[in-house]
Amino acid sequence: MRLATAEINISALRYNLARVKEMAPSSKVMAVLKANAYGHGLVKIAQCLSDADAFAVARIDEALALRAGGLTKPIILLEGFFDPSDLPILLANNFETVVHDESQLAAIEQSNLDMPISVWLKIDTGMHRLGVEPAQFDGFYRRLKQCANVKPAVNLMTHFPCADDINNNFTQRQIDLFSSIVSGTQEALCLANSAGVIGWPDAHFDWVRSGLMLYGVSPMLGQVGTAHQLQPVMRLKTRVIAIKQVVEGDRVGYGGRWQCPKRTTLAVVAMGYGDGYPRHAKQGTPVVIKGQRYGIVGSVSMDMISVDIGYNEAHIQVGDEVEMWGPSLPVEEVAECAGTIPYELLCNVTPRVSYEYCSE
Ligand SMILES: *Cc1c(COP(=O)(O)O)cnc(C)c1O
């Protein structure tokens, strides 16, 4: 019997990519596949995204795994390369690199490359993480254009820290600043992450970089993916492995953190932080059994969680399936109960969980 399982719905994934294209009809789509495709399985997900124009990852190893898996689309390294010795690997595998600081530019200028490399120059328009300062743009751009090691088209990008909040006009200020910085060029422009795609049509330009929304999950504050006609791709499920009666005053789980207020029945389910379920999920965080929601009680253990199914819940039995998040229970909601964001829950799913890919 399969216990902790992540069921991955390929039809939903493809549908979500089509939704990205519907929302940003004039833009090419870079499918963001970093962190094991947000916990969904890197190569398998990439294989199902044949309609994407390019893939984006954070690390060279992720890009190499895509090539080893037979994927031939353009791959963009969102943080660029980390050492001059990486450059031959980039060229040999046809990876495109972000350039965000002087050390990278100098390495490209000083290398002896057999072929020119494709570059995405990243401008910091206010996130203050990666990117060249607006005042440095002209110098970087000129040097890249003049460098024989760089392909003639120098793509230009920036990143949004607050696009999930449509009431925060910081994003519009970034769009305006970016537009004024790049106005003298004819290059391909790329600004929008998923929140930019959903909330900021002015940010779509030539390319969008969609991660979370491909997996059917909303990056927008207080909204779930289905509000944007996205379909959840992952269903994290397991089974009930024991049923136990408890009475008023009984303490449940490590530390006796939960004390039973009145006689009830607990279903013990085979899922815990060892599978990536958040240990800090609060009391009452929902799970779904037989189409109905029940709340977790006590502390989340490594392999198990107790669920209060109420007194007289005789219809729930050992072996019954339990959905921890998925189509019946948005991961956005579980993340909220655990004081985190859906991104973290998805990429924390551990290798102990088995993966089932299905199309329906
Ligand atoms: C992760 C990432 C994205 C994708 O963000 P989502 O919110 O998942 O769409 C886009 N751009 C950069 C630079 C990223 O690091």
Side-chain angles (χ1 to χ4, degrees):
M1 185 169 86
R2 281 259 165 104
L3 293 173
T5 303
E7 203 179 88
I8 306 295
N9 182 341
I10 295 306
S11 317
L13 177 73
R14 292 208 175 100
Y15 175 87
N16 296 331
L17 175 57
R19 277 295 290 148
V20 175
K21 294 182 167 205
E22 222 167 69
M23 291 188 211
S26 311
S27 309
K28 291 188 186 172
V29 180
M30 206 183 276
V32 181
L33 303 178
K34 60 197 182 187
N36 195 30
Y38 293 48
H40 292 67
L42 175 65
V43 170
K44 189 76 189 172
I45 292 296
Q47 285 167 342
C48 299
L49 290 175
S50 49
D51 288 343
D53 298 288
F55 298 136
V57 294
R59 307 281 160 79
I60 294 171
D61 285 351
E62 296 172 327
L64 287 171
L66 286 172
R67 288 286 181 257
L71 282 307
T72 56
K73 278 188 203 299
I75 301 177
I76 291 96
L77 299 168
L78 292 172
E79 299 168 7
F81 58 96
F82 308 98
D83 189 273
S85 65
D86 294 332
L87 279 168
I89 303 171
L90 269 53
L91 273 184
N93 292 282
N94 193 23
F95 299 156
E96 305 184 11
T97 184
V98 164
V99 167
H100 57 77
D101 83 355
E102 171 64 31
S103 67
Q104 291 172 323
L105 176 55
I108 293 174
E109 287 177 329
Q110 288 154 24
S111 289
N112 217 332
L113 303 180
D114 299 336
M115 290 179 300
I117 192 162
S118 277
V119 164
W120 296 72
L121 176 57
K122 184 163 189 175
I123 308 167
D124 177 8
T125 54
M127 183 160 183
H128 298 130
R129 194 176 60 179
L130 294 184
V132 305
E133 294 297 309
Q136 297 177 299
F137 171 75
D138 286 340
F140 269 78
Y141 182 64
R142 195 168 349 100
R143 282 166 65 189
L144 286 167
K145 292 299 265 191
Q146 285 166 356
C147 181
N149 285 333
V150 175
K151 284 194 185 161
V154 172
N155 310 287
L156 304 175
M157 63 184 287
T158 193
H159 195 43
F160 295 144
C162 307
D164 57 329
D165 180 2
I166 51 165
N167 297 314
N168 187 341
N169 70 3
F170 190 71
T171 304
Q172 190 58 52
R173 298 214 302 272
Q174 288 186 281
I175 298 169
D176 296 343
L177 174 60
F178 185 83
S179 299
S180 75
I181 293 169
V182 305
S183 62
T185 75
Q186 304 292 314
E187 310 292 356
L189 308 178
C190 180
L191 294 77
N193 51 4
S194 295
V197 171
I198 295 171
W200 303 87
D202 284 358
H204 292 172
F205 293 95
D206 303 290
W207 284 87
V208 296
R209 304 187 302 275
S210 311
L212 193 68
M213 67 187 297
L214 288 176
Y215 310 103
V217 178
S218 172
M220 308 310 281
L221 284 179
Q223 292 179 353
V224 296
T226 46
H228 304 285
Q229 288 84 52
L230 298 167
Q231 298 176 357
V233 172
M234 182 189 293
R235 194 159 91 95
L236 184 66
K237 62 181 188 179
T238 187
R239 293 191 186 270
V240 174
I241 59 168
I243 300 282
K244 172 169 284 293
Q245 311 296 328
V246 287
V247 296
E248 182 182 341
D250 284 350
R251 288 185 175 275
V252 174
Y254 285 115
R257 264 181 68 206
W258 185 75
Q259 190 166 24
C260 181
K262 62 175 198 285
R263 179 171 172 170
T264 190
T265 313
L266 302 181
V268 181
V269 307
M271 173 75 61
Y273 61 82
D275 303 290
Y277 192 88
R279 201 179 77 84
H280 296 290
K282 67 180 187 194
Q283 302 295 311
T285 298
V287 304
V288 172
I289 310 174
K290 292 188 158 165
Q292 213 176 312
R293 286 178 174 220
Y294 300 95
I296 69 170
V297 295
S299 32
V300 171
S301 335
M302 190 182 290
D303 316 303
M304 286 171 276
I305 303 171
S306 296
V307 176
D308 184 354
I309 56 174
Y311 187 56
N312 264 339
E313 286 288 339
H315 71 291
I316 293 177
Q317 287 156 2
V318 168
D320 283 348
E321 197 174 279
V322 186
E323 180 173 316
M324 310 306 287
W325 62 66
S328 309
L329 177 60
V331 65
E332 293 92 327
E333 196 178 327
V334 180
E336 176 79 35
C337 289
T340 184
I341 54 175
Y343 297 82
E344 187 184 25
L345 295 191
L346 294 173
C347 39
N348 274 356
V349 173
T350 68
R352 181 167 77 180
V353 174
S354 46
Y355 280 71
E356 275 172 10
Y357 293 85
C358 57
S359 336
E360 46 194 46

